[in-house]
Amino acid sequence: MKNILITGGAGFIGSNFINQILTNRDDWQIINLDKLTYAGNLENLKESDKKSNYTFVKGDINNFELVEYLFQKYKFDYVINFAAESHVDRSILGSAIFYQTNVMGTNVLLEVAKKYGIEKFLQVSTDEVYGSLGTTGLFTESTPISPNSPYSASKASADMMALSFYHTFGMPILVTRCSNNYGPFQFPEKLIPLMIINSLNDKKLPVYGDGLNVRDWIYVDDHNRAIELVLEKGKFGEVYNIGASSEMPNIEIIKMILKLLNKSEELIQYVKDRPGHDRRYAIDSSKISNEIGWAPLNSFENAIAMTVEWYLKNQAWWNRIITGEYRNYFNVQYGERLI
Ligand code: NAD
Ligand code: TDX
């Protein structure tokens, strides 16, 4: 049995990761440490919570004493750090919390892991640390780091810091840099869920700038399988890019969603561009594919249809987010389990 600290496991990618792992294996004891910011939703973990090898802890990765207490109690073998402020637009409105959580919080996890020892520490980073591409080319692991938003600059700091703990202290650090994810349980501030939900509510679809910014999309389960494999087979001190070679301009995705929902393109509304809006991201995943044997299993065409279907079937889930009711879930379910 391995004891694993997962941080930010009540968010979109982390909750999918936990649900997937606990369905597929029983040799991991998972402790999920999550602050439950606006982006954390314990309803995502309803099924996992029934499992005896899963424990939720409400808390902040910045809380050194709490993190230390958890390391003493559970003697973690692995740490997977998903916890972050993750939305670029919010980082433009206010950057302080991005540095607090993404940089300082990661530092706390690294320092405590250094103090108590750890078998593996995986830092979940992003392709946004590479900055923006022109019309051609791909991000490889040796593309220079050149983040453009307060969000991506904070993620770049965190992953550089994690790598510095490998070089300076010999810690067993792994870093993954993935492209844009989509799938179930994504908070409806991000492009795909926002466009699905607005379409269903016949609300306007705000397209930033000319709608021709390109992102490289990956289904969340493919990202999470890659994380599991990197944890198993990755080389310490190395970075692994993760992407599904699925580049698309935003407007194309929006039109695809409208078509799947049988809604009119008249809902599209071009709005003022995001300041500093990166033009294009595209990932070269040949390293993880050659060295670790990972490849995505889902095509964009199938997985976007599955995702639209999921939001159609789970209107109650996103309605509780829109009304704010999801914030009560912790008090109802977990009040007595606060430490
Ligand atoms: P998310 O915003 O949906 O979830 C973040 C989670 O972290 C939430 O549950 C939140 O409550 C928790 N959290 C925030 N601050 C915390 C703190 N101080 N202490 C403890 N928990 C805290 O994010 P996501 O989309 O699931 O992204 C997860 C990770 O993957 C992030 O590190 C993000 O940078 C990275 N990433 C995301 C994408 C993407 O497309 N969403 C792509 C590549 C990498
Ligand atoms: O209303 C919108 N209209 C719009 O045109 C929103 C929310 C977004 N967009 C555009 C901006 C981007 O070009 O769509 C694209 C995708 O936007 P987001 O969903 O905000 O994602 P992005 O900024 O690309 O960042 C995401 O991918 C990398 C995640 O939020 C990050 O956490 C991850 O690291």
Side-chain angles (χ1 to χ4, degrees):
M1 189 65 111
K2 295 283 185 197
N3 286 347
I4 326 280
L5 174 62
I6 291 192
T7 67
F12 161 50
I13 302 175
S15 63
N16 277 288
F17 184 83
I18 292 172
N19 292 335
Q20 188 174 321
I21 286 287
L22 293 179
T23 306
N24 297 336
R25 58 196 306 168
D26 50 20
D27 57 336
W28 281 22
Q29 168 79 33
I30 290 182
I31 311 302
N32 174 17
L33 172 62
D34 195 297
K35 184 180 171 186
L36 296 183
T37 67
Y38 78 92
N41 186 349
L42 289 176
E43 206 182 328
N44 303 0
L45 294 156
K46 238 175 11 192
E47 291 310 310
S48 292
D49 194 50
K50 296 175 187 154
K51 307 264 167 67
S52 58
N53 53 336
Y54 170 76
T55 305
F56 176 71
V57 178
K58 182 180 190 294
D60 192 326
I61 58 169
N62 285 286
N63 184 339
F64 195 98
E65 288 73 27
L66 171 62
V67 174
E68 190 167 38
Y69 164 81
L70 293 174
F71 266 78
Q72 284 168 348
K73 179 166 179 183
Y74 293 104
K75 306 193 172 15
F76 295 120
D77 299 294
Y78 306 157
V79 173
I80 308 176
N81 183 25
F82 288 99
E85 288 293 331
S86 69
H87 193 37
V88 174
D89 290 332
R90 285 180 191 257
S91 80
I92 295 167
L93 293 172
S95 59
I97 188 68
F98 283 74
Y99 287 86
Q100 189 63 47
T101 287
N102 301 1
V103 184
M104 297 311 293
T106 301
N107 180 256
V108 167
L109 295 173
L110 288 165
E111 285 292 352
V112 178
K114 172 158 71 73
K115 183 167 171 186
Y116 288 91
I118 193 85
E119 246 178 72
K120 301 184 185 195
F121 186 116
L122 191 148
Q123 173 65 12
V124 180
S125 187
T126 168
D127 64 350
E128 299 201 12
V129 300
Y130 296 119
S132 186
L133 288 166
T135 47
T136 57
L138 299 172
F139 296 134
T140 70
E141 289 80 358
S142 50
T143 301
I145 297 298
S146 181
N148 291 319
S149 73
Y151 162 72
S152 53
S154 70
K155 291 295 292 184
S157 312
D159 83 40
M160 295 287 91
M161 181 167 35
L163 290 168
S164 81
F165 273 60
Y166 165 78
H167 289 286
T168 308
F169 306 113
M171 276 182 65
I173 301 292
L174 299 156
V175 173
T176 56
R177 295 184 184 144
C178 188
S179 62
N180 285 60
N181 285 223
Y182 63 100
F185 300 123
Q186 188 166 30
F187 198 82
E189 63 187 351
K190 306 282 164 56
L191 181 78
I192 289 182
L194 181 74
M195 296 300 158
I196 297 172
I197 291 169
N198 278 13
S199 304
L200 287 171
N201 287 333
D202 290 313
K203 281 173 70 178
K204 290 285 184 196
L205 311 183
V207 181
Y208 299 164
D210 60 7
L212 296 177
N213 297 67
V214 171
R215 297 293 182 265
D216 192 351
W217 295 91
I218 183 169
Y219 190 59
V220 63
D221 286 357
D222 283 324
H223 179 191
N224 282 333
R225 261 191 334 99
I227 289 178
E228 194 184 349
L229 279 172
V230 168
L231 201 63
E232 197 185 314
K233 300 183 180 167
K235 282 215 304 253
F236 298 144
E238 294 284 319
V239 172
Y240 295 91
N241 282 354
I242 305 169
S245 305
S246 205
E247 278 185 61
M248 231 159 319
N250 296 333
I251 191 67
E252 233 177 74
I253 296 181
I254 292 166
K255 288 184 177 168
M256 218 183 256
I257 290 171
L258 286 168
K259 202 159 171 212
L260 284 164
L261 291 171
N262 205 14
K263 295 282 183 175
S264 160
E265 289 188 8
E266 279 171 22
L267 288 176
I268 292 171
Q269 182 169 47
Y270 287 90
V271 299
K272 200 164 159 288
D273 207 356
R274 169 187 281 174
H277 197 175
D278 284 339
R279 192 61 174 169
R280 174 171 168 261
Y281 304 144
I283 277 268
D284 177 343
S285 302
S286 47
K287 179 174 173 181
I288 188 172
S289 152
N290 295 336
E291 291 184 16
I292 295 195
W294 172 87
L297 298 176
N298 296 279
S299 71
F300 185 78
E301 213 184 6
N302 288 341
I304 189 71
M306 258 161 35
T307 302
V308 166
E309 194 58 32
W310 188 88
Y311 282 86
L312 269 170
K313 282 204 183 118
N314 290 278
Q315 302 210 1
W317 176 85
W318 51 262
N319 262 324
R320 281 192 279 277
I321 292 180
I322 289 168
T323 61
E325 215 184 309
Y326 78 111
R327 307 286 287 151
N328 299 329
Y329 198 84
F330 176 73
N331 297 334
V332 174
Q333 301 290 322
Y334 293 94
E336 77 288 359
R337 285 171 54 178
L338 258 177
I339 60 165

